[in-house]
Amino acid sequence: NHLDQAEQYLDELQLLDSSNEEIFIQRANIFSKKDKHEKAINILQQALEFSEDNADIFSLIGMEYLFLDKFEDAKFYFLKCLEADYEDYSALYNVMYCFEFLEQNNEAIEYLNTYIDKNPYCEVAWHQLGKQYFSIKDYKKALGAFDFAIISDDTFVGAYLEKGKVLEKLKRYKEAIENYLLTLELDD
């Protein structure tokens, strides 16, 4: 947390290599720690000019927008991150957080279905799809999505837990208890 000293080192490094994306990323990190998120975003935008792999930078920009409570902008950059790296599950969770905060359940469902078409064994996507269906009270589709999450990863505790909640809503209590007991077996 010696931010002033870190900035001095970055100034020196930038004189040696003015197109090194990591210098921009670290400079943005310093601005972020100083709660200067707009400046961090501007620096990260500059880093994009020098980067060959933009996924991480898109994710960092998305995080900065989250700090500013600009969820639509954050969502845009997390989606760009997922375009660049389809298996960045942290970006997938973050984009779903934005959809949820913006109360865009139908848009989230549409996006997840497209995502699953390209990555059908992604337990995270199926789990998130189930949560979206649960939010709009389409319990039958939620149950199906959680089943697919479990098929994709039969040790995915969250899917069993959420499936139990759906079964409760459907008044299928015995099955709900079975799913809750499975969560305890997997992770006590």
Side-chain angles (χ1 to χ4, degrees):
N1 283 326
H2 300 285
L3 302 180
D4 293 334
Q5 186 178 5
E7 280 186 284
Q8 289 173 0
Y9 287 137
L10 289 172
D11 289 341
E12 291 173 26
L13 287 170
Q14 199 153 19
L15 291 173
L16 298 172
D17 187 0
S18 62
S19 62
N20 186 323
E21 70 184 84
E22 192 61 34
I23 294 170
F24 290 92
I25 291 170
Q26 293 309 317
R27 199 176 292 281
N29 188 27
I30 291 169
F31 280 122
S32 184
K33 287 183 179 207
K34 292 181 174 181
D35 289 328
K36 296 181 179 179
H37 302 292
E38 293 285 352
K39 284 189 176 186
I41 291 167
N42 291 335
I43 296 289
L44 290 167
Q45 295 284 1
Q46 292 174 17
L48 287 172
E49 297 172 26
F50 303 108
S51 175
E52 291 180 21
D53 180 18
N54 293 336
D56 289 339
I57 298 172
F58 289 142
S59 183
L60 291 170
I61 294 171
M63 290 305 297
E64 293 302 319
Y65 277 119
L66 280 183
F67 291 135
L68 294 168
D69 292 335
K70 293 185 175 181
F71 295 96
E72 198 63 56
D73 292 321
K75 181 181 79 171
F76 174 81
Y77 280 97
F78 290 128
L79 288 171
K80 287 184 77 67
C81 177
L82 285 165
E83 284 174 29
D85 179 3
Y86 225 61
E87 294 185 3
D88 186 336
Y89 296 149
S90 135
L92 183 58
Y93 280 117
N94 285 329
V95 80
M96 295 316 299
Y97 175 77
C98 294
F99 276 123
E100 287 175 26
F101 190 86
L102 295 165
E103 297 179 357
Q104 297 175 335
N105 300 97
N106 291 325
E107 292 88 341
I109 289 168
E110 185 178 321
Y111 176 74
L112 286 166
N113 279 313
T114 302
Y115 183 95
I116 288 169
D117 285 344
K118 295 177 186 169
N119 193 356
Y121 298 104
C122 177
E123 69 278 4
V124 173
W126 283 112
H127 178 255
Q128 292 297 315
L129 183 61
K131 288 178 68 174
Q132 293 302 313
Y133 281 130
F134 187 86
S135 293
I136 63 169
K137 297 180 176 30
D138 190 337
Y139 301 126
K140 184 178 178 184
K141 286 185 180 177
L143 192 59
F146 293 130
D147 281 336
F148 276 110
I150 292 167
I151 289 168
S152 299
D153 178 0
D154 65 356
T155 63
F156 190 1
V157 174
Y160 288 107
L161 184 63
E162 297 294 334
K163 182 178 176 182
K165 290 179 187 177
V166 173
L167 290 166
E168 273 189 73
K169 289 287 186 186
L170 296 172
K171 300 187 185 328
R172 293 165 56 181
Y173 300 114
K174 184 177 182 208
E175 291 172 82
I177 291 169
E178 289 170 6
N179 277 271
Y180 293 139
L181 289 173
L182 279 169
T183 65
L184 292 173
E185 284 178 31
L186 293 169
D187 182 10
D188 59 353

